C-alpha cells in the first residue's frame, strides 16, 4: 500500500512536470554538451592551481600599485575624445566600487577602439571597447558588463595569473607592460572563473537595484553579434578545453535566474536605464534618475 | 683431320669408361678386404642379432629394401651386397654407438691408402680430361658444320651403342638406361641445333630441318618405347616436347607435339605409368601455352588448338580413368586427376571466341562428369566420386555463367547459380557427403554474395528486389524446414558441419529477408508492419523453432529488425506516427516471443532476461526519439517513470517464488529499471545540468527532476532486495546472482552522486562545505550505520576532505557584493569548520571497518587523518582572509585549540604538529610582523600571543602525562 502511494505520488509529480514542460515549451539552452559538467567538476582543480600561485604573497597594496602603473601606461592607448562616454563609464564603476570594494582599489574604466569586448586588469583597471558601447542598449546592461569585469578583479582572477610579474614589474617596466597587454588581449579566463564573474555581476545588479535580466540581455546581444551556433554535439576534450561558456547558455541561465528573483521579489523595483544610456548620464546620484526607468516585476 | 678427331674422341670416351670400370672394381676389392679384416678382428660382428640394436636393424632393412627394387641379383652380387651390408652395418654401429678418435684415424688412413693405390688412374683421368678439352677446342675451330653434326650424332649413337653393349650386365643396367636417354637427347638437340646455329647448319633446304626434326623425334620415341623405366620413357617425351618449344611455332609443330604426347600417353596405357601420364600431359600443356603465345591470331588456329587439346586431354583422361579404376594410389591419382582436368580446362579456355552456346558443351561435360562420379561411387572409389562431383559442380557453374552470352541478366544467372549450389549442397548433406556439402555450401555463400551484389543496382526498384528475394527466401526456408525434419545425429560433435549447414541457411534466409525489409519499408508505408507480422507468423513453425540454431538466428534477426526500426523513427515527420509504425510492432513481436517461450533455449538455459534488456533499450530509444522534438526534458521524465514502473513490476514478479522464469524476469526488470535511472543521469549531465528553467520561484525544473531521481534511487536502495535464500536451487536461473548483486546496490551510489550535484548546482560556493559536512555527518552517524552500506563511511571521509579543501581554497577567496549572510565566508567558513570537526569526531567513534582498505588506513591514525586536515584548512582559511600580525594571533589561538584537542584525544602527533606550528608562528612574529605592523597593533599582538603561549605551556605541563 505504501509502495503504491509512493509510486502514485512520484508519477503524479512527473505527470505535472510533463504538463508544465508542455505548456511552457521548456527546452534546454543548447544540445548535448559537457561544458556545464566540466565547469562543476573543474571548480576545485582550477581553484587549486590558482592557490598554488598564492604562495607569492601579493597584498592589496601591491595590487593597487600595479593598477596605478598599468593605468599610466594604458592611458595612452585610450581613444581620443569621447569625453562624455569616459565620464559616464567611470561614474558607473564608481557606483559599483562604492557598493563593494574589499581591496579598496581605485577602479578606472578605459575606452579603446575595437569590436565588442571588455576585459579587466589587476589593480582595478577595466577596458571596454567602443564596439561594446555601441552594442549595449541600457545602463543596466553596461552595469552588468562592468560588474562582470570588476568581479574578475575582486575575485583575484587577474592577479592570480601574474603574481610573479606583480612583484618584478618595477625592474622591467616597458617589457612587462607589453607582455601583459598582449596576454590579456589573447587570454581567456576559465569556464569556472567566467561563471564566478557572471555571478558577481548578477549580485552587483541586485545590490544596486538594476534590472537583473540585463545580464542575460547583454549576453544575448553579444551572442547575436557574434552569431554563435547553438547546435553541437558533446565533445569530451573540446568541451573541457573551451574557455568561455557558450553565450547562449549564459544568457538562458541568467535570464532564468532573473525570472526567479523577480518571482521571489515582486515588490522590489529595479532600474533599466535606457534613456540614461542614450544620453550617457549615470543615474540618481548624478541627477539623472528617471522615474519611468524603474520597474516592478508584477507591473511588467 | 676429321678422322683423326673422331679417333681421338673415341679413345677418350673409352678411356673414361675404362677408368670408371677400374674404380668400381677397386672399390669392391677394398670392401671385400675390409670385410675380411673385420671378420678376423671381430668374428661376432657379422652375426649381430637384430634385436640388440635398432640402428643395425634399420640400416640393414633399408639396404634390403633398396635391393628388392632391383632384379634378382647374381650369386656374386649377393655375396658382395651382403659384404657391403655387413660392412655398412658395422660402420653404423661404430658411428652411432661408439664414436671415438679411432674412426677419424681410420678414415684418414683409408684416404691415404686410396691415393697410393689409385694415383695412376687419377693421373690418367686428368690427362684424359685435358685431351677431351683440347679435342673439343680443335673441332670447334677447324671442322665443317656437317662434320660437327656428324660428330655430335656419332656421340649420340655411341652412347646408344655403349648402352646396348653394357645392358646385359645387371651391374651396368642402370648406366645403360641413362646412356640411352642421353643418346636420344644428344641426337634430338643436335638436329634442332642444325636449324638454329650456323656452326651446325650444313644444308640449304628448309624442309631438311623439318625432316631431321621428325627423325630426331622418332628416334626419341623409339628409345622411349624401349626404355624399361618409367622415368626414362617420360624423359624422352619431355625432351621431345622441350625441343619442340625451341623450334618455330608452326601448326605442324603443334601436331608433332600431339603425336609425341599421344605416344607418351600410349606408353602409360601400356604400363601402369601414372607419373608418365601426368608429366606428359603437363609438358604438353606447357608446350601448348608457349605455342599459343607465339601465335599472332587465335581464330586461324582455334580449330587445331581445340581439337588437339581435346584429343590429348580426352586420351589422357581415358587412360587416367582406366588406371584410376585399377590403381590404389589414391593421393597421387587424385592429384593427377585434378591436374589433368584443370589443365584441360585451362587449354580450352584459351580459345575464347565468343561462342554463344558454350553452355551446351559445358552442360554435356557436366552431365558426363556427374555420370563418371556416380560410376565411381558404384565402384566404391570415394576420392574419384568426390572429385568428379566437385568438377561437375564447377562445370555446372561455368555453364550457368556462360548463359550471359545469350543475354541472361546477371541477377538471374546469380539466382540460378544459387539454386544449383543449394541443391547440390542439400543433396550432399542428405547423403552425408560432408565434403561435397561443404563445397556446395561454399558455392551457396559465394553465389548468395554475387546475387546480393547484383541486386544492389536494383534498390530503387523495390518490386524487382522482392521478386528476386522471395523465391530465395522460400527455397532457403523450405530447405531449412526439410532439414529440420531429419533427425540430427546425436553422436556428431556440437559445432560440426552437420549443425553448421542449417545455421548457414538460417543466416542466409535472414540476410535476404533484410533486403526485403529495406525494400518494403523504403517504398511501402505499411511495409514494416507487414514484415513484423510475417516474422510473427514464422514463430508458428514449432518444428523449426524447436531448433536452437534457428531460434538464435531468428532472435538475432529480430534484434536487427528492431535496430533498423530505430533508424526510421523520425522518418515519418511526426514523432507519434513514428512511434506507432516503428516503435510498437517490435514490442508486439517481443510479446509474442515471450508468450511462445522462444527465448527459453532449453530447460536450463533461458535468455528471457536478454529479451527484457533489449525491450528496455528499444523502449528507451523509441520514447527518446518520440519525445525529444517536443522537449529535451521529456526523455528524462519518461526514463524515470518507466524505471519506477519496471521496478514495481520486478517486485511483483519476485513475489512469485515457484517459477524460475518469473524470477529471471524480475531480476532483469530490476536491472532495466536501474539502467533507466542511469540513462536519466546521463541526460542530466549532458543536458539538464546546463538548464536553469524555472518551475517555481524556489525550484528549477532540473532540481525537481534530480530530487525525484535521488528519491527514487534511495527508495530502490532501501527496498527489500530479492532474496533467493528460500528458493529451490533448481528454480534459480544462472544469471540471477550478478543481476541481484550489482543493480540494486549501485542505486545508493547514484543517489549519493545526484545529491552532491544537486548541492553544487543549486547553492553558491560558500554553502558547499556546509552541505558536504552535513551529508558526511549523515553518512557516518550512528543511526545510519545499520541501513547504509559500509562504503558510506568512506564517502563521509571523502566529504570531510572536500569540506576542508573547499574552505581552504575556494571559500577563502570568495567575494560577493551581496549582503546575504550565506554569501559571506566569514560566517560559512567557521560554520563549515565546526561541522567538519563534528564529522571528524563522529568518524573517530566509528567502529573500525575491516571491509575497506582505505578506511583501514584512516583508522590507523584517526585523530591525525581526521582532525589535522580540518586544522590545516582553518589555518589556510585564516591566511587568505587576514593579514600581518592579526593572522599570527589567530593562528596562535588555533594552536591553543589544537593543543587542547590533542590532549583531550591523547594524540601526541597532533600536539607535536601544533607545537611545530607554534614555532613557525613565533618566527613569523619576530621576523615579519615586527616590521609590518603599527606599534599599537604590534604591542597588542605580542601581548595576546604571549598570553596564549603561557596558556599552552600550562596545558602542556598539566596534561603531559596524558600523552605517555
Amino acid at each position: 500500500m505504501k509502495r503504491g502511494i509512493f509510486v502514485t505520488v512520484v508519477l503524479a509529480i512527473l505527470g505535472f512536470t510533463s504538463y508544465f514542460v508542455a505548456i511552457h515549451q521548456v527546452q534546454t539552452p543548447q544540445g548535448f554538451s559537457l561544458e556545464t559538467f566540466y565547469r562543476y567538476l573543474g571548480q576545485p582543480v582550477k581553484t587549486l592551481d590558482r592557490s598554488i600561485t598564492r604562495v607569492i604573497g601579493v597584498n592589496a597594496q601591491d595590487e593597487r600599485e600595479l593598477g596605478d602603473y598599468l593605468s599610466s601606461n594604458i592611458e595612452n592607448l585610450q581613444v581620443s575624445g569621447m569625453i562624455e562616454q569616459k565620464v559616464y563609464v567611470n561614474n558607473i564603476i564608481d557606483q559599483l566600487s562604492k557598493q563593494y570594494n574589499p581591496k579598496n582599489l581605485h577602479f578606472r574604466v578605459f575606452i579603446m577602439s575595437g569590436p565588442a569586448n571588455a576585459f579587466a586588469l589587476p589593480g582595478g583597471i577595466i577596458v571596454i571597447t567602443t564596439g561594446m558601447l555601441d552594442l549595449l542598449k541600457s545602463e543596466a546592461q553596461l552595469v552588468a558588463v562592468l560588474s562582470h569585469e570588476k568581479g574578475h578583479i575582486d575575485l583575484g582572477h587577474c592577479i592570480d595569473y601574474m603574481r610573479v610579474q606583480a612583484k618584478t614589474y618595477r625592474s622591467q617596466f616597458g617589457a612587462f607592460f607589453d607582455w601583459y597587454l598582449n596576454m590579456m588581449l589573447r587570454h581567456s579566463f576559465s569556464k569556472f572563473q567566467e561563471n564566478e564573474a557572471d555571478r558577481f555581476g548578477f549580485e552587483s545588479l541586485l545590490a544596486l537595484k538594476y534590472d537583473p535580466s540585463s545580464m542575460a540581455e547583454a549576453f544575448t546581444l553579444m551572442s547575436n553579434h557574434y552569431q554563435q551556433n547553438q547546435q553541437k554535439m558533446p565533445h569530451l576534450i573540446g568541451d573541457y578545453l573551451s574557455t568561455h561558456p557558450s553565450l547562449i547558455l549564459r544568457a538562458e541561465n541568467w535570464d532564468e535566474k532573473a525570472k526567479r528573483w523577480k518571482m521571489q521579489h515582486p515588490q522590489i523595483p529595479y532600474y533599466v536605464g535606457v534613456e540614461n544610456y542614450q544620453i550617457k548620464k549615470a543615474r540618481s546620484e548624478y541627477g539623472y534618475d528617471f522615474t519611468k526607468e524603474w520597474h516592478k516585476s508584477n507591473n511588467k | 683431320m676429321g678422322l683423326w678427331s673422331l679417333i681421338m674422341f673415341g679413345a677418350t670416351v673409352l678411356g673414361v669408361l675404362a677408368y670408371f670400370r677400374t674404380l668400381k672394381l677397386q672399390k669392391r676389392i677394398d670392401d671385400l678386404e675390409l670385410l675380411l679384416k673385420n671378420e678376423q678382428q671381430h668374428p661376432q660382428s657379422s652375426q649381430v642379432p637384430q634385436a640388440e640394436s635398432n640402428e643395425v636393424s634399420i640400416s640393414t632393412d633399408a639396404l634390403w629394401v633398396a635391393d628388392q627394387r632391383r632384379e634378382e641379383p647374381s650369386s656374386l652380387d649377393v655375396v658382395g651386397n651382403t659384404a657391403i651390408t655387413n660392412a655398412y652395418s658395422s660402420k653404423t654401429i661404430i658411428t652411432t654407438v661408439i664414436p671415438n678418435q679411432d674412426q677419424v684415424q681410420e678414415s684418414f688412413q683409408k684416404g691415404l691408402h686410396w691415393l697410393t693405390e689409385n694415383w695412376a688412374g687419377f693421373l690418367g683421368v686428368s690427362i684424359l680430361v685435358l685431351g677431351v678439352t683440347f679435342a673439343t677446342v680443335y673441332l670447334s675451330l677447324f671442322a665443317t658444320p656437317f662434320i660437327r653434326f656428324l660428330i655430335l650424332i656419332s656421340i649420340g649413337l655411341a652412347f646408344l651403342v655403349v648402352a646396348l653393349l653394357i645392358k646385359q650386365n645387371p651391374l651396368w643396367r642402370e648406366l645403360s638406361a641413362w646412356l640411352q636417354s642421353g643418346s636420344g637427347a644428344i641426337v634430338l638437340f643436335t638436329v634442332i641445333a642444325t636449324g638454329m646455329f650456323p656452326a651446325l647448319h650444313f644444308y640449304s633446304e628448309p624442309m631438311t630441318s623439318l625432316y631431321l626434326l621428325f627423325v630426331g623425334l622418332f628416334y626419341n620415341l623409339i628409345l622411349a618405347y624401349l626404355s624399361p623405366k618409367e622415368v626414362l620413357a617420360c624423359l624422352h617425351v619431355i625432351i621431345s616436347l622441350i625441343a619442340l618449344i625451341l623450334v618455330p611455332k608452326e601448326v605442324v609443330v603443334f601436331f608433332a607435339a600431339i603425336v609425341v604426347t599421344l605416344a607418351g600417353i600410349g606408353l602409360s596405357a601400356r604400363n601402369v605409368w601414372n607419373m608418365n601420364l601426368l608429366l606428359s600431359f603437363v609438358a604438353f600443356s606447357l608446350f601448348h601455352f608457349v605455342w599459343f603465345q607465339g601465335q599472332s591470331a587465335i581464330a586461324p588456329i582455334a580449330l587445331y588448338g581445340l581439337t588437339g587439346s581435346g584429343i590429348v586431354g580426352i586420351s589422357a583422361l581415358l587412360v587416367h580413368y582406366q588406371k584410376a579404376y585399377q590403381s590404389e594410389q589414391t593421393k597421387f591419382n587424385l592429384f593427377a586427376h585434378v591436374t589433368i582436368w584443370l589443365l584441360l580446362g585451362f587449354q580450352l579456355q584459351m580459345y575464347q571466341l565468343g561462342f554463344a552456346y558454350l553452355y551446351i558443351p559445358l552442360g554435356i561435360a557436366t552431365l558426363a562428369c556427374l555420370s563418371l562420379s556416380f560410376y565411381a561411387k558404384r565402384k566404391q572409389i570415394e576420392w574419384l566420386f568426390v572429385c568428379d562431383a566437385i568438377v561437375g559442380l564447377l562445370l555446372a557453374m561455368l555453364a550457368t555463367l556462360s548463359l550471359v552470352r545469350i543475354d541472361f541478366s546477371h541477377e538471374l544467372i546469380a539466382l540460378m547459380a544459387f539454386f544449383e549450389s543449394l541443391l547440390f549442397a542439400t543433396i550432399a548433406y542428405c547423403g552425408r557427403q560432408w565434403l561435397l556439402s561443404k563445397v556446395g555450401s561454399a558455392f551457396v555463400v559465394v553465389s548468395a554474395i554475387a546475387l546480393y551484389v547484383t541486386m544492389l543496382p536494383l534498390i530503387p526498384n523495390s518490386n524487382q528486389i522482392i521478386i528476386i528475394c522471395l523465391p530465395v527466401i522460400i527455397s532457403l526456408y523450405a530447405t531449412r524446414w526439410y532439414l529440420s525434419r531429419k533427425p540430427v545425429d546425436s553422436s556428431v560433435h556440437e559445432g560440426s558441419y552437420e549443425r553448421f549447414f542449417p545455421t548457414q541457411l538460417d543466416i542466409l534466409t535472414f540476410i535476404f529477408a533484410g533486403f526485403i525489409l529495406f525494400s518494403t519499408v523504403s517504398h511501402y508505408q505499411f511495409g514494416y508492419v507487414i514484415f513484423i507480422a510475417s516474422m510473427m507468423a514464422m514463430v508458428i513453425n514449432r518444428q523449426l523453432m524447436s531448433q536452437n540454431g534457428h531460434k538464435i538466428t531468428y532472435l538475432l534477426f529480430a534484434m536487427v529488425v528492431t535496430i533498423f526500426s530505430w533508424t526510421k523513427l523520425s522518418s515519418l515527420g511526426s514523432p507519434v506516427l513514428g512511434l506507432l509504425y516503428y516503435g510498437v510492432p517490435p514490442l508486439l513481436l517481443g510479446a509474442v516471443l515471450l508468450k511462445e517461450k522462444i527465448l527459453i533455449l532449453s530447460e536450463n538455459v533461458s535468455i528471457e532476461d536478454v529479451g527484457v534488456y533489449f525491450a528496455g533499450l528499444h523502449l528507451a530509444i523509441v520514447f527518446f526519439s518520440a519525445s525529444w522534438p517536443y522537449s529535451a526534458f521529456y526523455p528524462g521524465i519518461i526514463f524515470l517513470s518507466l524505471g519506477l514502473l519496471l521496478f514495481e513490476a520486478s517486485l511483483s514478479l519476485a513475489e512469485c517464488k515457484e517459477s524460475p522464469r518469473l524470477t529471471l524476469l524480475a531480476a532483469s526488470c530490476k536491472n532495466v529499471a536501474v539502467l533507466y535511472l542511469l540513462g536519466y543521469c546521463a541526460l542530466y549531465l549532458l543536458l539538464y545540468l546546463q538548464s536553469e528553467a524555472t518551475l517555481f520561484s524556489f525550484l528549477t525544473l532540473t532540481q525537481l527532476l534530480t530530487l525525484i531521481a535521488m528519491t527514487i534511487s534511495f527508495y530502490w536502495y532501501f527496498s527489500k532486495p530479492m532474496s533467493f535464500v528460500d528458493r529451490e536451487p533448481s528454480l534459480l536461473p544462472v544469471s540471477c546472482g550478478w543481476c541481484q548483486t550489482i543493480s540494486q546496490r549501485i542505486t545508493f551510489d547514484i543517489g549519493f552522486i545526484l545529491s552532491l550535484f544537486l548541492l553544487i548546482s543549486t547553492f553558491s560556493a560558500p554553502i558547499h562545505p556546509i552541505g558536504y559536512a552535513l551529508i558526511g555527518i549523515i553518512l557516518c552517524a550512528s543511526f545510519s550505520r545499520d541501513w547504509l552500506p559500509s562504503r558510506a563511511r568512506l564517502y563521509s571521509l571523502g566529504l570531510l576532505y572536500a569540506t576542508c579543501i573547499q574552505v581552504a581554497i575556494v571559500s577563502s577567496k570568495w567575494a560577493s557584493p551581496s549582503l546575504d549572510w550565506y554569501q559571506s565566508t566569514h560566517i560559512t567558513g567557521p560554520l563549515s569548520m565546526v561541522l567538519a570537526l563534528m564529522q571528524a569526531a563522529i568518524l573517530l567513534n566509528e567502529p573500525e571497518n575491516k571491509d575497506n582498505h582505505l578506511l583501514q588506513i584512516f583508522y590507523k591514525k584517526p585523530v591525525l587523518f581526521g582532525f589535522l586536515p580540518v586544522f590545516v584548512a582553518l589555518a589556510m582559511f585564516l591566511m587568505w582572509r587576514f593579514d600581518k600580525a592579526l593572522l599570527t594571533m589567530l593562528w596562535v589561538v588555533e594552536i591553543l585549540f589544537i593543543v587542547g584537542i590533542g590532549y583531550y584525544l591523547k594524540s601526541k602527533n597532533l600536539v607535536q604538529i601544533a607545537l611545530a606550528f607554534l614555532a613557525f608562528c613565533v618566527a613569523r612574529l619576530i621576523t615579519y610582523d615586527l616590521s609590518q605592523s603599527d606599534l599599537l597593533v604590534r604591542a597588542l599582538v605580542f601581548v595576546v600571543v604571549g598570553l596564549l603561549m603561557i596558556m599552552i605551556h600550562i596545558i602542556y605541563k598539566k596534561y603531559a602525562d596524558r600523552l605517555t
Side-chain angles (χ1 to χ4, degrees), chain A residues 3 6 17-18 20-22 26-27 30-31 33 36 47 51 54 99-100 199 203-204 249 253 256 260 264, chain B residues 630-632 634 637 651 686 690 692 694-695 697 700-701 704 715 760 809 813-817 823 880:
Chain A
R3 302 186 71 88
F6 174 78
T17 314
S18 304
F20 178 86
V21 170
V26 184
Q27 283 289 5
Q30 55 183 7
S33 169
T36 317
T47 318
S51 298
R54 289 187 199 170
Q99 193 272 326
Y100 184 75
R199 190 263 313 159
E203 287 170 356
S204 296
L249 177 65
N253 282 351
E256 287 294 331
R260 275 207 299 282
Q264 288 165 5
Chain B
Y630 298 109
S631 171
Y634 278 135
I637 294 169
L651 293 179
L686 287 167
Q690 59 185 257
E692 287 284 342
T694 306
L695 185 66
S697 61
T700 67
L701 198 56
L704 177 69
Y715 162 70
I760 293 168
I809 296 170
K813 285 297 284 181
W814 183 259
S816 170
Q823 297 283 30
W880 303 132

Side-chain angles (χ1 to χ4, degrees), chain A residues 61-62 65-66 165-173 176:
Chain A
Q61 182 61 34
D62 292 331
E65 287 175 10
L66 181 63
Q165 287 79 9
K167 283 288 186 187
T168 57
Y169 73 92
R170 290 180 185 85
S171 59
Q172 306 166 349
F173 285 111
F176 167 72

Side-chain angles (χ1 to χ4, degrees), chain B residues 758-820:
Chain B
L758 189 67
L759 170 71
I760 293 168
S761 61
T762 306
F763 300 102
S764 58
I767 310 288
H768 292 172
I770 297 173
Y772 294 156
L774 286 173
I775 296 173
I777 287 169
I778 292 169
L779 290 179
C780 66
S782 58
F783 64 84
S784 64
R785 200 174 297 157
D786 296 333
W787 40 274
L788 287 185
S790 61
R791 59 185 180 283
R793 252 70 77 194
L794 186 68
Y795 292 159
S796 173
L797 187 63
L799 286 171
L800 174 67
Y801 294 144
T803 307
C804 296
I805 290 168
Q806 189 78 9
V807 169
I809 296 170
V810 181
S811 303
S812 57
K813 285 297 284 181
W814 183 259
S816 170
S818 172
L819 299 175
D820 298 328

Side-chain angles (χ1 to χ4, degrees), chain B residues 473-494:
Chain B
I473 292 173
I474 291 167
S475 63
L476 282 167
Y477 195 74
T479 310
R480 183 67 186 88
W481 192 7
Y482 175 72
L483 294 181
S484 72
R485 299 166 70 86
K486 292 179 75 68
V488 178
D489 188 357
S490 58
S491 64
V492 175
H493 188 264
E494 186 76 29

